[in-house]
Amino acid sequence: MSRIGKKPVTLPAGVTASVSGQTIEVKGPKGTRSFKATDDVTLSVEDNVVSITPRGMSKRARQQWGMSRTMVANLVTGVTTGFKKELEIQGVGYRAQMQGNTLKLNLGLSHDVEYVAPEGVTVTSPKPTIIFVEGIDDQAVGQVAANIRAWRKPEPYKGKGIRYKGEFVFRKEGKKK
């Protein structure tokens, strides 16, 4: 039995969900999101509660049960509060600034990096060393943050680079003479 799958997803006030076949569509104050479940699970909505049940007890059905429940919970969280990732930039001369919808990064490369945020994801830089990535799609927000971080990952000797807020970078000692 899936401990995650057994829990029903409650819909807060102002959020509606509708199921048509294997697709669930969730509407909320921040927008609309949908998810297509596999044929291994059954989706049902009654009294502001979304419940997911497996069709059979095969290994795949039980795997999809917990995953589908988590995906529906992420839809509800996305349309109510949204998702947010914070990135910190550390290093002398490393900075970020917004120019319209484009994030301009100075990362010690021979050129400036210009990153255009995809549709549905908002990138802001309130300070030159902080970047906020926000949106209603958890996967898209995480992917944009990972793409920005990939331009200059934190290195272990001086700790320079772009890191997630609160990320621990294991530091190494330099060469000994």
Side-chain angles (χ1 to χ4, degrees):
M1 295 291 283
S2 172
R3 290 187 206 166
I4 295 170
K6 282 192 282 189
K7 296 179 190 171
V9 180
T10 56
L11 300 174
V15 176
T16 59
S18 60
V19 176
S20 61
Q22 287 298 98
T23 305
I24 183 166
E25 187 174 279
V26 181
K27 293 179 183 171
K30 289 199 175 238
T32 304
R33 299 270 303 128
S34 64
F35 168 68
K36 185 173 185 328
T38 60
D39 292 332
D40 297 313
V41 295
T42 306
L43 302 167
S44 61
V45 179
E46 60 265 331
D47 301 331
N48 285 340
V49 173
V50 180
S51 57
I52 294 100
T53 53
R55 293 182 183 165
M57 280 293 148
S58 68
K59 183 171 183 175
R60 179 166 166 74
R62 287 180 288 134
Q63 290 170 342
Q64 295 298 317
W65 185 18
M67 193 273 303
S68 298
R69 190 261 178 213
T70 303
M71 293 297 286
V72 171
N74 282 346
L75 296 183
V76 173
T77 305
V79 298
T80 52
T81 59
F83 294 98
K84 183 177 186 178
K85 293 266 187 195
E86 296 182 35
L87 297 166
E88 297 174 336
I89 301 176
Q90 289 190 351
V92 177
Y94 290 9
R95 59 184 160 270
Q97 62 187 34
M98 291 300 297
Q99 290 182 338
N101 193 32
T102 305
L103 178 69
K104 189 173 178 184
L105 300 166
N106 297 9
L107 299 172
L109 302 172
S110 61
H111 60 285
D112 290 346
V113 176
E114 293 188 359
Y115 186 83
V116 179
E119 187 104 5
V121 178
T122 307
V123 179
T124 55
S125 181
K127 293 182 183 175
T129 58
I130 296 176
I131 302 168
F132 292 137
V133 182
E134 298 173 285
I136 62 172
D137 185 1
D138 188 27
Q139 194 276 330
V141 168
Q143 188 63 53
V144 168
N147 290 346
I148 293 170
R149 182 180 180 269
W151 279 104
R152 187 68 91 175
K153 290 183 180 173
E155 53 96 17
Y157 295 101
K158 290 187 177 178
K160 300 189 325 183
I162 303 174
R163 64 178 75 182
Y164 297 112
K165 184 172 185 185
E167 178 183 358
F168 176 75
V169 176
F170 184 75
R171 302 294 292 269
K172 292 183 181 177
E173 196 173 323
K175 283 200 308 190
K176 296 190 174 72
K177 287 187 177 183

